[in-house]
Amino acid sequence: SIVNAGTITGGQLDGVMLVGGGSITNSGTIANVAASEAGTPDGVSGFTDVHDKFGAGDIALQLDNLAGGEIVSVGRGVAFSSGGVVNNDGLIEGGDLGILIQAYTEQQSYFTAEINNNADGVIRSFSSEFDGAGISLGGFLASSTVNNAGLIDAANQGIKIESDNATVTNDGDILGGGPGMKTGDESNGVYVTNKAGASIIGADNDG
C-alpha cells in the first residue's frame, strides 16, 4: 500500500501505477504535467492479470482520496483496469476522464467497481477532445455502484456506463457538457436513483 501526504509528480508518466494490485491513501497531491508520444498519462492507474490470483469478491485496487487530496492529470485522473474501489473526499481531475474503472478482459469478469464521491468530493473532466466523461464504467465488470453526494462536473458525459448491472445513487450534482448520464446500447440492468434536491443536468437539458 502507498500513503501520500506530500507531492508525487509523474511528469509525462503516470503519477502512481499499481501493477498487480494495491491500494493508495492520498491526502497530498498526485499529478502529471504533460502528455508524451506514448499517449496521455494517468494520475493513478492500476491493473492485474490472471497470474495475480484474484477471484470473485476480491478488491484488487483501491484509492482513498482524503479531504485536501488532489489527483490531477492531463489524461485520466484515475484509471483502474481490473475493477476497484474509489472513495473520494478531495479532488480527482483528468483532461480526458475523471475516473475510469473497467475489467479489461473477459477473464476478469468477476471484478466489480465501486465509486463513493462524498459530500466534499469533486470529480472533474475538462476536455471532450477524446472522451470527456466524469466517470466511465465499462469492459467486463460484473457490477458497478456509484454513490454521489458531491460534485461530478464533466466536459462531456457526467457518468458513462458501458457495462451491465450498474447502480447510481445521486444525492449531489452531476453536470455534463454533453448528457448528464449516458448508457451503452447493450448495457443491461442499469438503475438510477436521483434523490430529492439532487440534480443530473446535461447540455440542452439532456439529463
Side-chain angles (χ1 to χ4, degrees):
S1 63
I2 296 171
V3 177
N4 177 53
T7 300
I8 299 173
T9 302
Q12 292 183 325
L13 303 174
D14 293 0
V16 175
M17 179 182 289
L18 300 172
V19 179
S23 64
I24 300 176
T25 300
N26 179 57
S27 59
T29 299
I30 300 173
N32 51 55
V33 296
S36 69
E37 292 182 0
T40 55
D42 305 317
V44 174
S45 66
F47 65 92
T48 69
D49 63 28
V50 294
H51 304 293
D52 293 314
K53 306 302 182 185
F54 291 99
D58 291 338
I59 298 171
L61 300 160
Q62 179 161 338
L63 166 66
D64 295 303
N65 192 42
L66 306 181
E70 295 188 357
I71 298 171
V72 180
S73 172
V74 297
R76 299 172 295 191
V78 176
F80 285 167
S81 293
S82 301
V85 174
V86 175
N87 299 309
N88 182 47
D89 288 279
L91 170 66
I92 298 174
E93 181 177 87
D96 185 30
L97 282 165
I99 298 175
L100 166 68
I101 302 183
Q102 61 180 343
Y104 72 105
T105 68
E106 193 169 4
Q107 289 74 23
Q108 294 192 337
S109 60
Y110 46 80
F111 279 130
T112 63
E114 179 180 335
I115 298 173
N116 299 302
N117 191 43
N118 299 320
D120 293 327
V122 176
I123 299 170
R124 178 179 291 128
S125 66
F126 56 83
S127 173
S128 60
E129 181 179 358
F130 298 106
D131 194 307
I135 292 173
S136 179
L137 304 167
F140 298 94
L141 291 168
S143 64
S144 305
T145 301
V146 177
N147 298 306
N148 178 53
L151 172 64
I152 300 170
D153 184 10
N156 196 355
Q157 310 99 336
I159 298 176
K160 182 176 70 172
I161 299 171
E162 295 184 323
S163 58
D164 295 337
N165 306 316
T167 301
V168 177
T169 302
N170 182 44
D171 199 17
D173 296 302
I174 301 173
L175 309 178
M181 290 194 59
K182 183 178 180 180
T183 60
D185 293 338
E186 297 182 2
S187 297
N188 297 303
V190 178
Y191 300 93
V192 179
T193 300
N194 193 43
K195 293 188 176 182
S199 61
I200 301 173
I201 300 173
D204 299 322
N205 295 314
D206 188 3

